[in-house]
Amino acid sequence: MAETVVSFVLDQLSTFLREEGRLLGGLRQEVQFIRDELGHMTAFLREAEAKEEDAQPRLQEWIKQVREAAYDTEDILDDFVARFARHLPTGFYGSVRRIFSSIKNLRAHHRVASEIQSIKSRIKSISEGHQRYQSEYGISAQASNSLSAVNNTTWRYSRDDALLVEEAKLVGIDQPKKHLISQLLQGDDYQLKVVSVVGMGGLGKTTLVKKVHEDPEVRRHFPVRAWVTVSQTCDFQYLLKDLIRQLHKEGKKPVPQSIESSNTTELKEIIKDFLQQAGRYAIVFDDVWDVEFWNTIKFALPESSHGNRVMLTTRRADVASASCIECRGLVYRMEPLSIEDSWTLFCNKIFNGGTCPGHLMDVAKGILDKCEGLPLAIIAISGLLASKDVNRIEEWEMVRRSLGVELEGTGKLDRVKKILALSYNDLPGHLKTCLLYTSIYPEDYEIGCRRLFNLWIAERFVEWREGMSIEDVVWGYFSELVNRSLIQVTCVVYEGIPHKCRIHDLLREVIVLKSREQNMVTVTTGQPIMWPSEKVRRLVVRSSSSNNTQHHQQTQNCCFDHLRSFITVGSTNPLLYKTLLSEVLGSSKLLKVLDLKGQETQEEIPNEIFNLFHLKHLDLNGTGVARVPKAIGKLQHLEYLNLGNTEVGELPMEILKLQKLRFLRVYQRFDPSDDDYGSHGFKAPSNMGGLLALETLSCIDASSGSTIVKEIGKLTQLRETYITNFRTEDGKELCSSLANLTSLQRLGVESIRKGDDHEIIDLNHHHPSLSSSSCSFLQSLRMLILCGRLEKMPQWVAHLHGLIRIDLNWSRLRGEEDPLESLQHLPNLHTINFCGSYQGEGLCFKAGWFLKLKELQLKRMEGLRWMRVEEGALPRLQILSLQLLPLLEELPLGIQHLIQLQRLSLYEMSSQLREKLLENQKEESEDYTRIEHIPEILIGYYTDDGEWRRHNLWEEKKKKT
């Protein structure tokens, strides 16, 4: 973390010296010295931090000093810029004000000079420590990657998960074991096949693969076998020699003496020669961390003609896919244990296979929930509980409340912490920072991905890269954390674009511990809190108690002068929130992030906000704010402004002064309980096209006419825009504007509402780009939402080869204008949502249509009487949702052809269809036999009393039989 902070501050210093250096005068040299000294320390810091957990307290203190010196340097320079780099006034009165300002700021300039001198002295002292520790701890000054930086002693922990799981009776392993064995024994006998098992640490990957590797049938089929543990810190030559010894032992041949003096290339040749003569082989590479390992070792593995097999275990999805891609292998993603298997494992360990006493049931389930199906955690926590008195429920309650504290200790849970921390330690610095930042969210919290990404950007955790937008870079960061099994995606907007995510509870505990150690985030909930001895830089307010006096008293003990971020998460105590916000705005002049999302009691934007010169991120989503003052124009560095779900309906002309604004969202839903009815947008200044940095613009009211539609075409950086109150006559102008938006990925157009109906959206206008063979019009588009009446589908939609999701709401297309016709061959379409979009009696999905579609929702199509799916249509469909289709009285014909279907949702359908499926039948009906392959069938409806009920059909049927 210190290395990341220093690198970040170094970038800031470089920018400062380049852009604001003229203001420094004689201080420029001092700042340059600070920058150079910090630069010299970064490589050393990288290695020192990798050893920090096991380091002596003096080294840990030194690392802390470097981090704080870097932070203080940033504070001083930001304060300097806020005082001296503002736009100076012009004219006669401006000249007078400049004179007075210069006199007034003379003292401030001296103060800044004194602070910079003080920082310089601190850096000199720290630099001397750098030289001393470099020799004392044997850490080289050269940069190294994280693979070699991790302390070698952690290697043993990477295998503890297997050893721990072996101690207990194995649970939930039979089916995965059978599946993997069948993959090893079947397939092409003339090609090397790789099977990669991937998942987060502690899932039991090694245990599973070991059981497969030692299975008698596998042993018979593969006479030559070897097991190689790779780990983060492998010595590649040692690994090759170990493999040679194992292979020769298996083949009952003497180990060549030459291996001791052979180089890497020669060792690989020895392995390759042996395997070519040995016959069929199966080799396991356990705990692989690096794609380069596979790219290197594969040259030692001959394909021959014997049906050879290699198995890998890894925490990283990219390692798994890289090893399988060339040989058409299998990537097996290991999942956590089911609730039933988790409970069995838990009881096996504590009660020797017996049952849990009734009085402990609730607390036991609460503890087990924290494990989230992670076998390593279940066994470790079970071992902790096994020593507790089963007659004293308070001892178990103590464990449930203090799992985070237990992870800090050196007992049974310390091993869990070590194993989970390995994945964190392997991260590069910028990803460590991003992961630690997730500690702002409470446990079991579903994190909004877009909000998280924009906070990362505002905090300057995301580095700009040549030729890439900042949004592309941040998606890459997130994907890497998912790839490394550190973040779990729980909901997607469309294929490949995450909407919600979460962190495993126990991994989150590790992250919180490290965040606290690094003074990354300070969280208050209104309970008594020990404010950190270091300066508070990021303050997060979460759900709090109601002891209002205590709230006020505890904030008196903390100074917010150095605060950079003030964030609220979820529901907060109104008095605590208002007290803290008042104190923060009164003293935190360096604030860059102010996120007040969801604070409904915030009814206006405080005037103090407009004095925050450095503010980059302002989130007022879900607040009671109804007006944006003209003073918004003073926030020259603002990049993100979110006024979604507020009462704001218009923005002042001064918004155009925000030339760095990248994200602007202002809207209010017509019906907060139902997304189908669209949103109110905001009335924008007529020359809105002047905000050239905008990448997200949502939702802009186009009712004022073609002028605003033409302005949209000037915003050539747009990646997402949503237009409301669109007029029929402006269709041609909009098509012309859209032709300029070559980076647009998400587009929404909603026509003017007239009572319960919409105006026609007419986008069927010829554009020159449509007539070219390349058809470049909107080729970057991934998501299209059209909300309003359509006489026909725009012809260009059929050419959107990159389109992944399309939503048609209230288009009311006539029977002869079947929307499926123009969409059927879009090669990347994964999601279709139709709501009130079609007035015909039937829909037919023909063979060969929608080859990649995974999700289909049909809703509020009152005239729809029948659906037919031909064999060969929708071959990959996984989710089918049918809702509010009152005339559809039969299941879709051909639904049995949808063999990949995982979930069928039937909500508010005809009572005839509902009763047919839910009533108890003595014999299996034709309907049941057509849907018996679908794992989950949900039926939801309102009773006559207005009560919502939802049934899982198979559970309901099981009860009745």
Side-chain angles (χ1 to χ4, degrees), residues 883 905-909 914 918 937-953 956 959-960:
Q883 186 172 352
S905 299
L906 302 168
Y907 289 164
E908 298 181 81
M909 302 294 286
R914 182 177 74 238
L918 286 177
I937 300 176
L938 303 176
I939 300 174
Y941 58 96
Y942 285 101
T943 65
D944 293 338
D945 299 330
E947 181 187 352
W948 175 254
R949 288 188 183 171
R950 193 175 82 155
H951 300 281
N952 184 321
L953 180 62
E956 199 71 20
K959 287 177 189 174
K960 291 182 178 179

Side-chain angles (χ1 to χ4, degrees), residues 674-685:
D674 195 335
D675 290 348
D676 294 338
Y677 291 98
S679 304
H680 295 287
F682 72 96
K683 293 190 183 299

Side-chain angles (χ1 to χ4, degrees), residues 389-406:
D389 187 341
V390 294
N391 295 313
R392 297 187 62 184
I393 190 171
E394 64 272 16
E395 289 191 10
W396 284 52
E397 285 286 2
M398 181 74 75
V399 172
R400 176 163 68 170
R401 290 195 303 270
S402 61
L403 278 177
V405 177
E406 292 284 351

